Amino acid sequence: MMSNMREKIESKLVSKAVNHTLEVLKQDDPRPELRQLLNVVWRFTGGTYRDETYDTLKAAIDDPDNDRWIRLLQRGARNIDHNILYKNFMNLGYWGSVRGIQKKNRLCEEQDCNIPNIILFDPTTACNMHCKGCWSAEYGHKWNMSYETMHKIVKEGMELGCYIYFMTGGEPLVKKAEILRLAEEFPEAAFHIYTNATLIDEEFCQEVKRLGNLSFAVSIEGFEDMNDSRRGEGSYQRILESLKLMKKHKLGYAASICYTSENYKLVTSDEFIKSLIDLGVVHIWYFHYMPVGVNAVPKLMLTAEQREYMIKRIRFLRSSACDLDIFVADFQNDGEFVGGCIAGGRNYIHINAKGDIEPCVFIHYSNSNINETSLLDAMKAPLMMAYHENQPFNDNHFRPCPMLENPDILPRLVKESGAKSTDYIAPESPEDLEAKTGPYAAQWTETADAMWEKFGQRQDISKLPDYPELVEEQKQEQEDLKQEMAKLNLHP
């Protein structure tokens, strides 16, 4: 009882501080108050995070030569609806990253298993598009998760300390009425939806603003010709109209981009990123193409040289030398900041539309189903425990994955755990998957080791102190790319 009372008082104080912070960010120079707020927050979190994290945040605030992160925060405060920003600060920050992490860490130790702080689930396999290379496209409209199952996932997840829920599919917004209902029933949870955005309309935008705890990652693959070659003719224009509508309503949204051997330079180019900023995008999720499913296209995986380009490019885009006001994250190449593979519940799990609980959205094998077991018991299933006992799969965090860069590991884990394929249309054995990723891993290893030696250390991601030569290299590459794009008539 006393604990609940303290939590209520504490959450009210945090709520007041969050509202104050959002007003501070609208000021011309918010640094002095941000510095004070950071000190208060750090004392409050009570050792939840490492001191290096505090040092990085403090340096970003104090550096007079680097106002990029301040500009990015100010951009959000001025251009995103107040209720949406407030709920994101509260739910992602206080509930998800403080209270939730504290509970998760305690349970991990007590239960001796992984506990996720993010759960990704598929409300449906249905989609109004059919994108080339998408494994979900194989499933068609066959499976839908009931509202009761979605409710169970969030309820049991929050009991374990998980307050952050991502949704993919299929197209999650095929079930937008149920998603809105879920967001209303769990106001302390944060829901982030990967979507093609074409089902977003005026009425939905109004509900999102009212609730505040929904944000979006809009899938886009480049400018019109390249995007439509994968997502279908006319999809680019439909996405643009949806983004303009979301911008009008001041919703919070990112771009979700799968980079391949064909588009990696274009989707990370200055010109393309500027077009996204103009459309109100504040964050970009980059995802390495994964050859999952029988219809996958292995030639879309990057060469070693192309992946080296991506590592350098992403680091430049986050540096103080870059003047683009946007934050970027690279799912495959940012392993150094999260200690390697985050799947198997170490940080997140995936639950498909049939309820199968998978280690990762790209690993389609499972021992358990949410309709038949509790979330906690699922984390103790053999395949999840195999992840728990074997992570990290490689000390070089540019080679984090047991499927892509260490392809011999996944078949062993599946065999030892007795896990079954969760692809009900065309099951793929881990050995068949290894046959596709093995050559990739072999050609990447030498380059990855050299890159890890040079770039693989936790450092202030807002600076490039050890390799200033990269700055000039990036500027020249972007100038050359701009001229090449102009010749090919590639533009927004």
Side-chain angles (χ1 to χ4, degrees), residues 105 119 129 141 154 188 190 221 262 296 298 330 352 362 376 414 436 444 456:
N105 290 345
I119 295 177
M129 297 174 69
H141 294 203
V154 180
E188 293 166 354
E221 305 293 325
E262 296 180 352
D330 184 337
N352 69 19
F362 301 116
L376 178 58
V414 170
K436 290 186 288 189
W444 170 238

Side-chain angles (χ1 to χ4, degrees), residues 57 65 82 115 158 160 166 224 314 362 392 443 446:
L57 293 172
D65 299 321
H82 180 88
I115 302 287
M158 290 177 68
L160 298 179
F166 290 5
E224 191 162 11
I314 294 299
F362 301 116
Q443 60 95 27
E446 183 177 349

Side-chain angles (χ1 to χ4, degrees), residues 102-228:
Q102 290 171 349
K103 185 184 290 186
K104 163 209 162 103
N105 290 345
R106 185 174 67 251
L107 284 170
C108 283
E109 187 173 344
E110 290 175 0
Q111 301 293 330
D112 192 27
C113 66
N114 286 337
I115 302 287
N117 50 292
I118 298 172
I119 295 177
L120 171 64
F121 66 91
D122 304 344
T124 179
T125 60
C127 186
N128 59 333
M129 297 174 69
H130 192 95
C131 301
K132 187 189 303 181
C134 174
W135 75 84
S136 292
E138 297 176 20
Y139 300 165
H141 294 203
K142 290 182 178 292
W143 294 293
N144 289 282
M145 190 177 280
S146 70
Y147 182 78
E148 290 71 27
T149 298
M150 290 192 284
H151 187 280
K152 177 183 179 182
I153 290 169
V154 180
K155 181 177 181 295
E156 292 190 5
M158 290 177 68
E159 290 169 355
L160 298 179
C162 179
Y163 288 82
I164 304 171
Y165 297 87
F166 290 5
M167 298 184 203
T168 183
E171 169 50 53
L173 295 184
V174 167
K175 303 189 75 171
K176 59 185 177 183
E178 291 177 71
I179 290 171
L180 291 171
R181 179 183 171 191
L182 197 68
E184 183 141 36
E185 287 204 40
F186 295 98
E188 293 166 354
F191 297 94
H192 189 59
I193 301 168
Y194 288 87
T195 175
N196 60 45
T198 59
L199 298 177
I200 292 174
D201 55 24
E202 287 277 353
E203 183 181 357
F204 182 73
C205 289
Q206 293 291 352
E207 283 297 282
V208 169
K209 286 200 293 187
R210 180 180 68 84
L211 294 167
N213 58 341
L214 293 121
S215 60
F216 305 89
V218 179
S219 299
I220 189 167
E221 305 293 325
F223 293 131
E224 191 162 11
D225 289 348
M226 184 166 284
N227 182 85
D228 288 5

